Amino acid sequence: MSSVRARVWRFTVERGRAGAEAVEAVEMRQDLLPVSLAAVVNVNALACDLRRTVDQRVRDHEISLLLSYIAGRPGDGPLEVDCPALDSSSLHIRRFVSECTGLGVMSAASEGLFDWRAGKDRVSSFDVLPGKLVGTYAKKGVRPDLLYDLAAGPLAGEARGRRRDHQPMFPPGKGTAAQKARLLQLAQWSDHHDDHAYFMSWVWLGAGGVYVDVFLPDNSPAMAMLKPKWSQRSGSARVWRFDVPRPDSRRRARPEEDLEQGMLLAAQAGPAPDPGGDSTAGGAGAGEGTVVSRAAPVVEEAMDRSFGREGNVLGALSGAEVRGRWIRGDAVGQARHEVLLGVLDKRVEVDHRARRLQTSQRADRLDMYLEGRLLTVVHPVDSPRPSWERIRSELVDQPGAQAT
């Protein structure tokens, strides 16, 4: 499994009679964070409109394009960025690669940051907001990119990815003007949705590799689920404080705000948590744990449409047939990785996270990720492809793996 350099911030929105007055962010810790390249690919594999049938050629090309610029190193080395190729690309390609990396790293890094609970805490993700959720979330304006469907309630995640050619890779001392603006917008979004829980990640791509700033609101479910290693404030913690500008009633909303799409993610949403399950984390959004379940049928139909024409049977996984193909990351130059993209014809109950922890110290472990019905396996092209039997055994050769 690869790694990124993470910097975690805890911030507080100071409120007065007129609403939010200031934001104070405190840098908590910097450290390496394990990130699966397979997870980065997984969450981007179906970042598309759920109402349409995915063109396999387009999907495969986008995956190949992403792997042409972003690569992992053997063992636990850092994710690498082919900066010369990225800087030689057109602006819209740079944006595509940066945003895809930001989206994937946010999802992949969450397991290293938070104490997700197997079987209860799942990622639910949408490119175009399904009609089933209209009325719960605004159709226009700012919306976060990601919904975590947690036992404690829905947690929104905002993912950003940007190219950075400065040293050091982290903007020193304080965040950037763009981060400040987005924090303010997210705070306003949360206010408009009954103090909805949220957090933000901001990925930087550069010669130093991949770095991520993570901003967590204080006294939120996100902070409550943060692993102890990341919740301890360092002695040299920096404080970043800025005032919230008063809204101008004469100002009209910008067209790009009105047209901005939210819920930009893949279609492998897991089923909603049990309404009677544990919700001790509390906080904003608690009691709404079933909100995403209304969109679950739309997601399942999209998966069937997207992979219904996949003819290559890879094998079986706990009674589920798996179809898919290997895709080489050679859209730009010689491939360094290829990825197996497979879809299960039904969901299986596999504690894949626990399995990854068990094998995290193995030098020969596979980099693979299973979320919902979508499976991704990434491996270097200069080594033999893993057999399906090896993939299956590392996924499900454990007690409690059964079809659902």
Side-chain angles (χ1 to χ4, degrees):
M1 184 177 292
S2 300
S3 63
V4 299
R5 187 77 182 181
R7 177 170 65 170
V8 174
W9 299 78
R10 181 178 66 188
F11 70 93
T12 303
V13 180
E14 300 175 4
R15 304 182 184 277
R17 291 183 177 181
E21 294 184 344
V23 174
E24 182 174 286
V26 178
E27 181 185 327
M28 301 293 293
R29 183 182 180 88
Q30 292 188 32
D31 208 336
L32 291 177
L33 187 63
V35 166
S36 163
L37 185 56
V40 173
V41 174
N42 191 289
V43 78
N44 281 287
L46 280 179
C48 55
D49 190 338
L50 297 183
R51 300 168 299 184
R52 305 177 186 274
T53 299
V54 173
D55 188 319
Q56 292 176 339
R57 299 168 302 172
V58 175
R59 181 200 65 201
D60 294 358
H61 177 69
E62 290 183 347
I63 293 173
S64 176
L65 189 62
L66 178 60
L67 287 178
S68 295
Y69 293 94
I70 306 298
R73 295 177 61 184
D76 56 358
L79 283 182
E80 296 180 334
V81 183
D82 189 343
C83 291
L86 190 61
D87 293 339
S88 298
S89 303
S90 61
L91 179 59
H92 66 277
I93 293 296
R94 292 202 300 271
R95 286 176 174 170
F96 170 81
V97 173
S98 298
E99 292 290 354
C100 286
T101 305
L103 187 65
V105 167
M106 179 185 197
S107 181
S110 294
E111 288 191 15
L113 283 173
F114 301 112
D115 280 320
W116 296 148
R117 286 165 291 179
K120 291 182 177 292
D121 298 332
R122 302 170 185 262
V123 175
S124 301
S125 45
F126 311 97
D127 179 34
V128 176
L129 191 66
K132 296 287 186 180
L133 295 184
V134 172
T136 301
Y137 298 100
K139 295 174 64 177
K140 296 182 179 180
V142 173
R143 281 200 303 269
D145 297 315
L146 210 156
L147 275 178
Y148 289 98
D149 197 11
L150 308 180
L155 173 65
E158 169 76 356
R160 281 289 182 267
R162 296 291 185 269
R163 168 74 169 98
R164 181 172 172 82
D165 56 4
H166 304 289
Q167 290 294 337
M169 282 292 292
F170 281 132
K174 300 179 179 180
T176 65
Q179 289 175 329
K180 169 184 172 181
R182 200 61 179 174
L183 283 175
L184 292 175
Q185 291 172 330
L186 289 172
Q188 294 167 353
W189 176 88
S190 178
D191 283 343
H192 294 160
H193 291 83
D194 300 323
D195 291 329
H196 197 297
Y198 67 98
F199 72 103
M200 180 177 80
S201 72
W202 203 283
V203 168
W204 304 104
L205 282 69
V210 178
Y211 287 61
V212 58
D213 270 318
V214 181
F215 295 86
L216 305 171
D218 205 5
N219 298 320
S220 70
M223 279 298 300
M225 290 181 288
L226 190 64
K227 291 183 177 179
K229 171 184 177 180
W230 293 97
S231 60
Q232 300 170 1
R233 178 173 172 174
S234 64
S236 59
R238 300 180 177 91
V239 177
W240 175 33
R241 191 180 189 279
F242 53 87
D243 294 331
V244 177
R246 296 297 180 192
D248 186 349
S249 59
R250 298 169 298 177
R251 177 184 176 274
R252 297 181 61 186
R254 294 181 299 170
E256 61 265 33
E257 288 181 353
D258 285 342
L259 296 175
E260 182 172 359
Q261 290 185 345
M263 309 310 171
L264 173 64
L265 283 183
Q268 66 268 31
D274 182 356
D278 178 22
S279 60
T280 55
E288 299 180 11
T290 61
V291 62
V292 182
S293 66
R294 298 202 299 270
V298 180
V299 174
E300 290 301 314
E301 292 172 4
M303 290 290 290
D304 292 336
R305 292 196 310 272
S306 300
F307 289 93
R309 301 177 182 177
E310 193 69 67
N312 184 28
V313 178
L314 301 171
L317 187 66
S318 294
E321 185 178 71
V322 185
R323 295 173 177 268
R325 67 182 71 191
W326 286 95
I327 304 167
R328 293 177 67 87
D330 57 359
V332 179
Q334 187 174 358
R336 288 169 289 178
H337 298 286
E338 62 177 356
V339 58
L340 174 65
L341 180 63
V343 65
L344 285 63
D345 66 354
K346 59 182 177 181
R347 296 180 181 275
V348 297
E349 192 63 35
V350 175
D351 190 354
H352 185 35
R353 293 169 184 165
R355 191 64 171 172
R356 282 198 297 273
L357 290 176
Q358 294 172 8
T359 62
S360 61
Q361 303 303 317
R362 283 176 44 187
D364 63 340
R365 65 190 182 276
L366 292 177
D367 183 4
M368 56 185 175
Y369 195 85
L370 173 65
E371 184 65 43
R373 291 168 56 190
L374 194 62
L375 170 67
T376 46
V377 182
V378 175
H379 88 98
V381 295
D382 57 2
S383 63
R385 283 181 180 174
S387 66
W388 176 253
E389 178 57 30
R390 180 185 174 189
I391 295 171
R392 187 203 64 77
S393 65
E394 290 201 19
L395 277 170
V396 302
D397 276 2
Q398 56 180 314
Q402 57 187 4
T404 59

